[in-house]
Amino acid sequence: MTKEKLLELLKDMSLEEKIGQLVQLPPELMGDDAMATGPAQSMGITYEQIYECGSTLTVTGAEKLKKIQDKVLSTQPHKIPMLFMADIINGYRTIYPIPLAQGASFDTKLSEECARMAAKESSYDGLHVTFSPMADLVKDSRWGRVMESTGESVFLNSEMGKAMIVGYQGKDMTEEGSMAACVKHFAAYGAPMGGRDYNTVELDERTLKDEYLPAYEAAIKAGVALTMTSFNTINRVPSTANKWLMRDILRDKMGFKGVLISDWGAIGELVNHAVAADKKEAARLALEAGVDIDMCTESYFANTKALIDEGLISEELLDECVLRILELKNDLGLFENPYRFADEAKAKECILSKENRALARKAAGQSMVLLENHKSILPLSEKSGKVAFIGPYVDCKHLYGFWSLWGRDEDTASVRETVDEFIKTGELSEKPSFAQGSNFLKKGEKLVQFGGYADIPENEDEEGMLNEALNLAKEADTVVMLLGEHAFHSGEAGSRTDIRLPKPQRKLLDEVSKVNKNIVTVVFSGRPLDLRDVKKRSKAVLEAWFPGTEGAAALLDVLYGKVNPSGKVPMTFPRNVGQLPMCYNELPTGRPNNGDDTNRAMSRYLDVANTPLYPFGYGLSYTKFDISPVTLSSDTLTKDTSITASVKVTNVGKVTGSEVVQLYIRDKVASVSRPVKEHKGFEKICLKPGEEKTVEFVITEDMLRFTTINNVYESEPGSFDVFVGNSSATDNKAEFILK
Ligand code: BGC
């Protein structure tokens, strides 16, 4: 439809119809007995009005959504189709690794391919919009939603977000197999105080602009169709009512023209934030901030007409929002084809296809991070002798993480089942033995999920489980411990103040380590955990994150050396929870810790080092890489020139492997204190034994900009260090001057 036609349509719509477009209905209203449910009545919505609303979320299935669309088309006076949205975070039915793990892969192409696969599966099943990517920067692994972020580097987050958007949206959203993406949560949702979800965010404007906002802006430049507001306040103003953030920054400065949607219930929550007396005032504030869609509250539905009638807002303000929603529907091709790609046969063929499973397996393998590998205990081979797999993850199928709403146990094989399968197919020749060893959680402990307690198996006979495991461990030459958080320990509202392994698993590892010294520990988690004890008791440690539907196969690929691990941690692993928040790009402080223990007056803790257990960008391989000193094409940079920083990388080990070569820059003296290092580039390269490759990074003036003392985003002349290495701890550097 042309813009003129859209404007004509808008002009012809009644006030009620327009308001309907702003309303996003909760899934429970879309059942056949919509009117019978409580929320329908509490929203004050009639059966007919449901089908005049603009969108709904979390309802899927080609057949079901086509039926709903039919009702919409026969009810909505102008036959304006409904939008179907959902959280497709790391896959729809074929689940690939959680976003934090994708960050660890440092492989943007792979994330793009995964996003494409998710868009295909879900759009054939009738969906139009995914609430992904999450571009929130994170520094505190107490926050459960770090699993949904790609980590603590704004550079990595920007690159990953862009790749996902390209994957979801394709070149044009009318292209088969594409869907609209929604960047979230604008803004700075990833910096809640104390790591407690939904909590207050206090960030100075410079940090907000330089570190937190650029990843959302990158998504907007990549053409993301929607943006979602965040639940939190920033400097005392809730985002959903923040005119400065939504109009001056998002719309005017970043140039976002798409649909702005509130997070679930966030408009109503303005009352809890105590900036609105009631939902009517909340609706006014959100509309004035330019929030187009009200996700799942009645604030807009019940109050917009009165706000206009009473002259508290203008109808033009409403029209602005409606037009943006109509434009999105138009960009998705819904006016031409209201069912879009919903197709039962295609969905059946595509969902969990061999090809999709292979991609999920590849992505999981690429995202695992080898944290320790003493005496090359990994990969497992004949030299490993008799192998025992021990831990609650032996039989667990919930390998897909918190936000995989359509991930199903019956589509996922556990590690034990996958070993059996590999023995059958000949991928493995020696069968290891298995024992669960412990429960996930302490006796009687429960984990709350949305809608009640999670069903986490608990075996009454804890002693029996432990003894079985110890007997196996005694007989084995090598023990592989499969430990970790449960998926519901992280994700939304999954904040924790203790980020160690759950207690029964710590005990299990402790006991096993008394009878066997050859321990490889695999950690499943949605966040960096405190792994000090794990490190002490294990010769190798492998971070597997939540690897998805094909996670067990990918894990065996890595453990047995079919895949050489190449992931790097996308978030600092602290030594303990007391160090949090923590990140690689800290400021130097006036009293940097120079390691002199006799000097008390330094910025440090008395009981733990300042350094992390594993720094950002760290990860090992089954081979070794040599990185040459950095050479620069020039030692002077101007606004019109560029410098190339290069290193030679050589695989000096015995097997083929991939290395993530990373670029960091330090601005040595500036008008405001600058980070000790800033991540500015990376390239993942694969080398055969003995092979050498030159990796080059082009440095330009715009990469050196920041918000200066004059509150201007610009660079300042002076001296800069360029670091190139295989983690943020590298001191392989050269220097240049910006004129
Ligand atoms: C989350 C969003 C999500 C939305 C819809 C909220 O609770 O914060 O990230 O997209 O629910 O499911």
Side-chain angles (χ1 to χ4, degrees):
M1 211 187 274
T2 60
K3 178 98 185 217
E4 288 71 45
K5 283 246 178 283
L6 282 182
L7 287 168
E8 271 171 36
L9 169 62
L10 177 66
K11 223 168 150 194
D12 207 45
M13 287 165 76
S14 68
L15 195 60
E16 287 71 19
E17 270 184 282
K18 289 187 204 170
I19 294 168
Q21 290 303 305
L22 271 48
V23 178
Q24 177 152 101
L25 296 166
E28 58 268 27
L29 292 202
M30 305 313 297
D32 291 338
D33 295 315
M35 276 306 289
T37 63
Q41 276 143 27
S42 74
M43 272 185 88
I45 228 163
T46 66
Y47 185 77
E48 279 69 34
Q49 282 167 334
I50 285 176
Y51 296 97
E52 288 185 31
C53 286
S55 58
T56 186
L57 79 168
T58 323
V59 187
T60 66
E63 203 187 329
K64 183 167 190 180
L65 291 181
K66 280 200 271 187
K67 272 194 198 144
I68 292 179
Q69 200 68 294
D70 280 337
K71 276 194 191 169
V72 172
L73 296 175
S74 61
T75 315
Q76 210 291 332
H78 286 90
K79 298 194 181 311
I80 301 174
M82 188 177 265
L83 275 171
F84 302 131
M85 309 197 185
D87 293 275
I88 313 296
I89 306 300
N90 50 303
Y92 176 58
R93 291 284 305 279
T94 307
I95 306 298
Y96 46 92
I98 56 169
L100 193 61
Q102 291 176 58
S105 77
F106 279 74
D107 191 334
T108 51
K109 195 77 206 134
L110 202 50
S111 280
E112 180 187 322
E113 284 174 40
C114 285
R116 191 70 192 158
M117 158 172 79
K120 276 193 186 154
E121 287 194 354
S122 51
S123 65
Y124 288 144
D125 229 8
L127 291 167
H128 307 146
V129 176
T130 174
F131 297 129
S132 167
M134 181 173 115
D136 303 326
L137 188 104
V138 292
K139 300 183 182 182
D140 192 335
S141 61
R142 287 173 296 179
W143 192 49
R145 293 194 85 168
V146 303
M147 55 81 52
E148 212 183 330
S149 145
T150 47
E152 73 188 41
S153 154
V154 68
F155 181 78
L156 179 61
N157 293 349
S158 303
E159 295 303 301
M160 281 290 171
K162 285 191 286 190
M164 290 180 199
I165 292 162
V166 172
Y168 292 132
Q169 296 193 170
K171 284 193 202 78
D172 174 337
M173 291 191 297
T174 55
E175 193 186 331
E176 182 167 329
S178 60
M179 70 195 312
C182 173
V183 66
K184 65 190 189 185
H185 306 82
F186 196 73
Y189 179 43
M193 272 191 189
R196 202 181 77 207
D197 207 357
Y198 318 124
N199 202 9
T200 309
V201 172
E202 297 279 329
L203 277 179
D204 68 279
E205 207 174 310
R206 178 169 286 111
T207 309
L208 178 70
K209 284 184 174 164
D210 290 359
E211 269 193 66
Y212 284 81
L213 296 185
Y216 309 105
E217 189 166 9
I220 286 155
K221 294 229 161 80
V224 75
L226 296 93
T227 298
M228 186 185 290
T229 70
S230 60
F231 287 125
N232 53 284
T233 55
I234 299 178
N235 304 337
R236 316 289 160 113
V237 185
S239 297
T240 310
N242 194 332
K243 253 172 130 171
W244 169 77
L245 191 64
M246 299 303 168
R247 292 206 179 263
D248 300 0
I249 302 291
L250 180 70
R251 300 275 185 208
D252 297 347
K253 186 178 164 290
M254 296 185 179
F256 179 61
K257 297 202 167 41
V259 167
L260 180 59
I261 184 168
S262 80
D263 201 345
W264 183 300
I267 298 183
E269 287 170 19
L270 295 176
V271 176
N272 298 345
H273 280 295
V275 298
D278 50 28
K279 291 202 176 144
K280 185 171 169 189
E281 194 176 4
R284 179 179 63 76
L285 291 173
L287 283 163
E288 283 172 350
V291 181
D292 303 316
I293 298 182
D294 177 357
M295 189 194 288
C296 303
T297 79
E298 71 277 27
S299 308
Y300 279 6
F301 177 75
N303 299 300
T304 307
K305 186 170 183 313
L307 287 169
I308 294 174
D309 289 347
E310 290 163 30
L312 291 168
I313 61 161
S314 66
E315 195 165 344
E316 286 76 62
L317 191 62
L318 170 66
D319 286 355
E320 244 183 55
C321 301
V322 179
L323 184 60
R324 283 193 286 258
I325 296 163
L326 295 179
E327 279 175 333
L328 173 61
K329 293 185 175 185
N330 195 35
D331 292 346
L332 282 162
L334 277 170
F335 290 109
E336 284 74 30
N337 179 6
Y339 311 109
R340 268 186 110 238
F341 313 125
D343 184 322
E344 293 85 334
K346 281 192 181 165
K348 202 165 165 217
E349 200 188 312
C350 172
I351 284 171
L352 291 159
S353 66
K354 222 171 137 192
E355 207 187 349
N356 291 1
R357 283 183 178 275
L359 181 60
R361 180 167 169 181
K362 180 175 171 194
Q366 291 299 308
S367 71
M368 292 181 188
V369 188
L370 184 63
L371 297 171
E372 304 284 342
N373 194 17
H374 298 282
K375 300 212 165 116
S376 297
I377 186 171
L378 284 179
L380 300 172
S381 64
E382 272 162 23
K383 72 167 184 352
S384 315
K386 267 164 78 182
V387 179
F389 280 66
I390 296 174
Y393 269 101
V394 158
D395 289 311
C396 180
K397 291 173 175 237
H398 202 304
L399 301 177
Y400 24 84
F402 178 86
W403 265 119
S404 302
L405 304 181
W406 293 276
R408 294 185 187 162
D409 284 5
E410 61 263 34
D411 301 331
T412 314
S414 66
V415 172
R416 192 198 297 253
E417 288 168 342
T418 310
V419 165
D420 287 345
E421 182 61 28
F422 278 19
I423 295 282
K424 251 194 255 156
T425 57
E427 280 191 72
L428 263 187
S429 47
E430 281 296 314
K431 188 167 174 173
S433 52
F434 293 97
Q436 286 199 5
S438 83
N439 286 318
F440 266 107
L441 308 175
K442 269 191 298 189
K443 209 172 185 163
E445 190 185 336
K446 298 226 176 306
L447 269 182
V448 69
Q449 231 301 49
F450 292 136
Y453 288 116
D455 181 21
I456 300 173
E458 188 180 304
N459 185 331
E460 285 290 305
D461 184 14
E462 287 178 300
E463 213 183 306
M465 287 170 92
L466 179 63
N467 287 336
E468 185 196 2
L470 291 179
N471 287 337
L472 282 192
K474 278 181 207 155
E475 283 169 21
D477 299 298
T478 307
V479 176
V480 179
M481 302 294 297
L482 300 179
L483 308 176
E485 295 186 305
H486 191 274
F488 299 140
H489 272 121
S490 58
E492 185 166 350
S495 299
R496 294 175 69 195
T497 61
D498 183 348
I499 54 166
R500 293 174 298 169
L501 288 172
K503 200 167 176 195
Q505 301 186 43
R506 295 205 302 271
K507 178 172 176 209
L508 174 65
L509 177 59
D510 194 31
E511 295 294 330
V512 170
S513 71
K514 288 179 193 157
V515 300
N516 194 312
K517 298 292 164 212
N518 291 326
I519 294 183
V520 171
T521 302
V522 176
V523 179
F524 294 83
S525 71
R527 52 161 61 85
L529 294 173
D530 167 351
L531 294 178
R532 284 171 304 167
D533 282 353
V534 172
K535 179 178 166 172
K536 217 181 291 165
R537 288 169 174 74
S538 318
K539 284 202 171 134
V541 181
L542 180 72
E543 174 64 59
W545 313 108
F546 288 114
T549 311
E550 291 293 317
L555 177 65
L556 296 177
D557 290 344
V558 172
L559 289 175
Y560 286 92
K562 186 171 171 191
V563 168
N564 188 351
S566 60
K568 302 278 180 172
V569 298
M571 261 189 98
T572 301
F573 274 55
R575 290 175 191 274
N576 68 31
V577 75
Q579 289 179 307
L580 295 173
M582 203 178 190
C583 59
Y584 79 97
N585 58 336
E586 59 182 7
L587 299 185
T589 80
R591 303 234 174 141
N593 183 354
N594 62 8
D596 175 6
D597 274 351
T598 61
N599 179 5
R600 183 180 173 94
M602 291 185 301
S603 176
R604 61 169 183 153
Y605 300 103
L606 293 176
D607 54 353
V608 69
N610 281 9
T611 52
L613 196 61
Y614 303 112
F616 172 82
Y618 166 88
L620 304 172
S621 161
Y622 295 153
T623 189
K624 282 221 161 2
F625 299 96
D626 188 60
I627 300 185
S628 72
V630 189
T631 55
L632 297 180
S633 58
S634 164
D635 56 10
T636 316
L637 180 67
T638 67
K639 290 208 160 140
D640 314 310
T641 59
S642 63
I643 290 182
T644 304
S646 27
V647 290
K648 276 197 184 122
V649 185
T650 317
N651 181 345
V652 293
K654 294 194 178 64
V655 287
T656 298
S658 294
E659 180 61 296
V660 180
V661 187
Q662 303 159 42
L663 171 76
Y664 298 87
I665 297 184
R666 177 171 189 173
D667 187 345
K668 290 168 81 173
V669 181
S671 60
V672 298
S673 190
R674 303 281 289 127
V676 294
K677 262 177 200 149
E678 282 187 305
H679 184 216
K680 294 286 178 183
F682 62 89
E683 191 179 331
K684 191 167 186 174
I685 54 166
C686 182
L687 296 176
K688 295 199 188 85
E691 197 181 342
E692 176 186 286
K693 194 177 169 192
T694 300
V695 176
E696 296 183 339
F697 294 102
V698 176
I699 301 168
T700 47
E701 176 274 332
D702 57 325
M703 290 160 71
L704 311 177
R705 294 182 194 165
F706 62 101
T707 305
T708 64
I709 196 81
N710 301 324
N711 246 332
V712 179
Y713 193 70
E714 60 187 350
S715 61
E716 288 177 350
S719 169
F720 293 80
D721 279 334
V722 182
F723 300 83
V724 182
N726 60 6
S727 90
S728 61
T730 181
D731 56 8
N732 185 28
K733 64 177 178 184
E735 193 178 347
F736 72 88
I737 306 281
L738 173 69
K739 286 246 162 124

